[in-house]
Amino acid sequence: MSLPIKRDVLDQESKNWVQEVDVAMKKRMMLAVDACFDNGCRLLTDAIALKVGGRYPSVIALGILAEEEFAKAMLIGLCAWNKRWDSVIHNALTRHNEKQAMSVGIRHIVDQVQAHVSANNGSPLTLETIMAHSSNAEVEARNAKAKKFIDRLKQNAIYVGISRTCEITSKPSELATEQQAFVVIADAEKGRVAATIIRNGLRNNSVN
């Protein structure tokens, strides 16, 4: 992901702002990566526990939330790597569609990286390897945002649908399936793997 470095002065009164990423800012970003990663792990653990009891709607909802947190951890980590923090990035962290699109992009990254490792006789999964494939993930993320498929899946897993004539149009217990829950858990695990690589890269002083 090629993110330009900007040095503009932060304007708190403006909707469009840029914050310089100095040493103190980078430390805050790394703490944010840890917090999002830990929360994603908690959500994923809860989802897996509920899967055992057949609570598939809750598994799907929590699994998707876990993916979103891993996506946040990865985005903040990549921004720390590229020394970028601005209103565009911050807004993306607070909007469900963007976070869900990022989570799909992360899955694509992990798929690409795993293929790279297989093709290169076990070449290690490094931060640099992930970033080499991130342009493909951006395309995948844009497609996900257009389709809004993940959000619809989450909504169906949480809420009873009611029509304008007050008829029940959907129930989570009827729509959520074991197969969907399995796929969501697997995708969340991919997000955890990708976020772990970014997190470890930052901890190993990969960010200058």
Side-chain angles (χ1 to χ4, degrees):
M1 182 182 293
S2 178
L3 300 175
I5 299 174
K6 298 182 180 180
R7 298 292 186 183
D8 298 348
V9 176
L10 174 63
D11 180 0
Q12 296 286 3
E13 302 300 322
S14 173
K15 292 182 179 180
N16 301 312
W17 50 263
V18 176
Q19 171 70 61
E20 179 180 355
V21 179
D22 55 15
V23 173
M25 183 63 187
K26 196 175 298 178
K27 288 181 179 178
R28 292 197 296 271
M29 295 172 79
M30 292 171 70
L31 288 173
V33 169
D34 286 342
C36 292
F37 179 83
D38 291 343
N39 196 43
C41 289
R42 177 188 65 82
L43 291 165
L44 180 55
T45 298
D46 290 348
I48 292 171
L50 289 172
K51 185 175 181 291
V52 176
R55 304 286 293 275
Y56 302 131
S58 298
V59 172
I60 291 170
L62 290 175
I64 292 174
L65 290 174
E67 282 189 81
E68 292 180 7
E69 287 294 83
F70 291 136
K72 284 166 60 180
M74 187 170 180
L75 179 62
I76 296 170
L78 287 173
C79 285
W81 174 272
N82 286 276
K83 301 179 182 177
R84 172 178 174 176
W85 186 252
D86 54 46
S87 56
V88 174
I89 298 299
H90 185 260
N91 289 339
L93 296 173
T94 61
R95 295 172 180 167
H96 290 297
N97 285 341
E98 279 81 352
K99 286 186 290 185
Q100 290 155 7
M102 284 188 290
S103 70
V104 173
I106 284 175
R107 296 179 212 161
H108 188 82
I109 286 175
V110 174
D111 287 340
Q112 291 289 325
V113 170
Q114 289 175 336
H116 171 89
V117 170
S118 297
N120 290 276
N121 299 318
S123 174
L125 279 70
T126 64
L127 183 57
E128 290 82 0
T129 306
I130 278 188
M131 293 182 68
H133 294 286
S134 62
S135 60
N136 290 329
E138 291 174 358
V139 173
E140 189 75 11
R142 284 195 294 270
N143 291 339
K145 183 178 178 181
K147 296 175 182 178
K148 296 184 179 180
F149 173 76
I150 301 175
D151 186 58
R152 176 54 55 190
L153 182 63
K154 185 172 72 172
Q155 297 297 319
N156 287 341
I158 298 174
Y159 302 111
V160 171
I162 303 295
S163 72
R164 293 177 65 179
T165 57
C166 206
E167 295 179 283
I168 297 173
T169 58
S170 65
K171 293 180 180 178
S173 59
E174 295 176 353
L175 290 178
T177 67
E178 182 178 10
Q179 178 61 26
Q180 287 176 329
F182 177 83
V183 171
V184 168
I185 292 294
D187 288 339
E189 282 287 357
K190 289 182 179 181
R192 185 187 63 79
V193 170
T196 297
I197 296 169
I198 294 295
R199 189 172 179 236
N200 289 345
L202 294 174
R203 284 183 169 181
N204 292 332
N205 298 317
S206 293
V207 181
N208 296 318

